[in-house]
Amino acid sequence: MTRRADDLLVAGTLVISIVFFRCAAAVAATEYVRPPPGRVIFTEHTKPTSHPQQVHVSLVGANHMRVSWITEDKHVKSVVEYGKVSGNYTASATGEHTSYRYFLYSSGKIHHVKIGPLDPGTVYYYRCGMAGDEFGLRTPPAALPVELAVAGDLGQTEWTASTLSHVGRSDYDVLLVPGDLSYADAQQPLWDSFGRFVQKYASRRPWMVTEGNHEVEAAMALPGWPRPFTAYAARWRMPYEESGSGTSLYYSFDAAGGAVHVVMLGSYADFNSSSEQYRWLARDLAAVDRGATPWVVVLLHAPWYNTNAAHEGEGEAMRKAMERLLYEARVDIVFAGHVHAYERFTRVYNNEANPCGPVHITIGDGGNREGLAFDFRKNHKLAPLSLMREASFGHGRLSVVNATAARWTWHRNDDADSTVRDEIWLESLAANGACQQSSSAAAAADSQNDEL
């Protein structure tokens, strides 16, 4: 670790320890006790200050991608050169940049550049800021099949390295992350370390993320203090404007030419029926044509269905507020994180098995430093609905084969290997004649629009 980073970590730890002390003391008696934390891997930047670091890419619309990176040199231009042949850049794009302060910490220059239009299923080579290494990415396909990898609660530990290695060994098109990325917890140099840690993978395939509780990073709303999600929003810019959202805390996007609609919800943004997130979700789901989009997938952080003692009931208020919208829109799958284990439920709605409800899957087992949540409750009221649960690190894959069939697999980390421990085939609810989409979803959206 560099001296500057070391000093910032010490200073940041002191400030945040003071800020959070009272909050921590208040919940210490009820906090879930996990196994000892794993070793955090701090990744340094060893190249010149003008060279890009923390490079990652994300989807923007049907045929564009956003390239994001950071430079310590504040004079580097926000430019990406790219082309289909290594070293031969036939196009370039100029974007925007930002930076932020967090108490004693000052970020580098954060660049965001949208490139395209790009051809589907094609490898592009690119260079950031006209300096440093060349990177390569592959765009997703424009039609089915498509492979979506899913991993939540990542962190930057030896277990995270194992998870990402397993993800990278098999081909995939997009990685979905249902919250809790860096586990910086207000120690901002750990955000930088995380960006370098995942760059090998995040620079090659689009990463689409939503926020978790570890992205909040704000204890008190005082003048001059950092706002919640400051680092997350500045570093991991997602395409919220394109879906009509006013914030990066919730948004949606399409994959495979619109055959899969993915909704990223914010567990830590207002979600009651009078909230903007609720109104946005009603409009977003009502606009989906299930004839053209046979699959709808939702990601959020705090699970609505959970039989583990860890974070029990924390998603209940959001479930009560929003579950009906998802059910009436015939959402196929809901992925959550937060609980550091794997659990899969049957199709469910309103705490009961329902063949027209979504499959709920908790996959908060990416490798975080807090360890695993072992305490699944055998006599939990939801236990009869829980078909598979295991406290192990790993990742999942949703292989959407065609308009009617998709294969879900959960891969457990077994040291150097990745073992498939759970596997199911799913039928799209749009193809299930007994689950014809309710017209009340559109009516709900119309009702919300009348209030705007």
Side-chain angles (χ1 to χ4, degrees):
M1 186 185 300
T2 64
R3 175 64 182 274
R4 177 174 177 271
D6 192 37
D7 290 345
L8 283 168
L9 272 173
V10 173
T13 301
L14 177 60
V15 171
I16 301 307
S17 295
I18 295 172
V19 172
F20 285 101
F21 177 78
R22 291 184 179 179
C23 296
V27 301
T30 59
E31 186 175 77
Y32 178 76
V33 178
R34 295 189 175 89
R39 185 177 73 88
V40 174
I41 301 174
F42 190 91
T43 307
E44 297 186 72
H45 181 61
T46 58
K47 297 181 179 180
T49 58
S50 62
H51 285 211
Q53 57 170 297
Q54 307 176 51
V55 180
H56 59 272
V57 297
S58 54
L59 300 175
V60 186
N63 55 5
H64 288 74
M65 296 183 73
R66 179 175 285 114
V67 181
S68 301
W69 77 97
I70 295 178
T71 55
E72 295 176 3
D73 185 344
K74 301 295 181 69
H75 298 96
V76 174
K77 294 181 179 180
S78 301
V79 175
V80 172
E81 305 165 283
Y82 60 100
K84 296 180 181 179
V85 178
S86 177
N88 182 18
Y89 309 123
T90 57
S92 67
T94 301
E96 59 190 22
H97 61 85
T98 188
S99 62
Y100 71 93
R101 292 188 61 83
Y102 195 99
F103 294 114
L104 302 179
Y105 173 88
S106 180
S107 76
K109 187 175 183 178
I110 305 172
H111 308 261
H112 299 294
V113 178
K114 185 168 70 171
I115 63 173
L118 305 173
D119 294 334
T122 302
V123 173
Y124 285 86
Y125 300 90
Y126 64 99
R127 189 170 66 158
C128 305
M130 297 184 289
D133 297 334
E134 176 184 79
F135 299 89
L137 63 83
R138 193 187 70 196
T139 58
L144 297 175
V146 66
E147 180 99 353
L148 306 176
V150 189
D153 298 68
L154 287 172
Q156 44 193 309
T157 71
E158 294 167 314
W159 279 115
T160 316
S162 175
T163 298
L164 293 179
S165 175
H166 295 322
V167 171
R169 285 181 190 175
S170 297
D171 199 15
Y172 66 100
D173 298 302
V174 182
L175 177 69
L176 307 178
V177 183
D180 282 1
L181 281 70
S182 71
Y183 281 76
D185 292 331
Q187 299 184 51
Q188 298 303 300
L190 287 177
W191 271 110
D192 294 313
S193 173
F194 176 78
R196 302 174 196 130
F197 181 81
V198 303
Q199 175 179 279
K200 175 181 177 181
Y201 305 97
S203 62
R204 298 176 180 176
R205 297 288 187 275
W207 280 36
M208 307 304 290
V209 306
T210 190
E211 84 279 3
N213 56 300
H214 287 273
E215 275 72 65
V216 179
E217 296 189 308
M220 302 179 184
L222 297 177
W225 285 47
R227 295 177 60 83
F229 308 106
T230 292
Y232 168 75
R235 294 169 182 270
W236 290 83
R237 181 172 172 78
M238 293 290 114
Y240 63 90
E241 302 99 330
E242 287 77 5
S243 62
S245 170
T247 172
S248 60
L249 300 183
Y250 50 87
Y251 64 96
S252 66
F253 66 95
D254 290 332
V260 182
H261 186 64
V262 182
V263 179
M264 310 292 269
L265 293 181
S267 294
Y268 304 95
D270 290 340
F271 48 70
N272 61 46
S273 60
S274 63
S275 69
E276 179 53 39
Q277 181 175 198
Y278 184 98
R279 291 193 293 266
W280 169 85
L281 177 62
R283 294 192 302 267
D284 185 84
L285 292 175
V288 177
D289 176 2
R290 294 306 292 270
T293 305
W295 294 92
V296 179
V297 177
V298 169
L299 278 82
L300 47 85
H301 189 61
W304 294 357
Y305 289 89
N306 170 35
T307 67
N308 200 295
H311 305 299
E312 184 176 9
E314 290 185 18
E316 182 65 4
M318 189 179 190
R319 182 193 70 80
K320 288 181 177 179
M322 289 184 158
E323 186 178 27
R324 182 180 176 183
L325 290 179
L326 271 59
Y327 176 73
E328 292 179 339
R330 298 299 185 253
V331 168
D332 294 286
I333 311 169
V334 177
F335 292 111
H338 205 32
V339 177
H340 300 163
Y342 173 77
E343 184 168 23
R344 174 174 59 84
F345 288 83
T346 187
R347 291 196 177 277
V348 63
Y349 173 62
N350 197 25
N351 291 318
E352 295 180 351
N354 189 307
C356 300
V359 172
H360 283 257
I361 295 175
T362 298
I363 190 158
D365 55 352
N368 64 87
R369 60 173 168 74
E370 296 178 338
L372 293 165
F374 288 102
D375 190 8
F376 284 107
R377 297 189 172 180
K378 295 181 179 179
N379 296 322
H380 195 284
K381 65 179 183 179
L382 297 176
L385 306 175
S386 178
L387 303 181
M388 169 64 183
R389 47 189 182 176
E390 180 176 323
S392 297
F393 291 118
H395 77 280
R397 290 175 177 271
L398 180 65
S399 303
V400 184
V401 179
N402 53 42
T404 60
R407 176 176 177 256
W408 166 255
T409 52
W410 176 63
H411 303 247
R412 183 180 67 190
N413 292 355
D414 285 341
D415 297 327
D417 300 318
S418 178
T419 303
V420 176
R421 287 283 296 149
D422 190 29
E423 177 180 4
I424 56 168
W425 280 90
L426 299 170
E427 180 188 29
S428 166
L429 292 179
N432 187 334
C435 300
Q436 291 299 314
Q437 186 176 9
S438 170
S439 61
S440 56
D446 292 339
S447 175
Q448 294 296 337
N449 288 335
D450 290 342
E451 299 176 9
L452 298 180

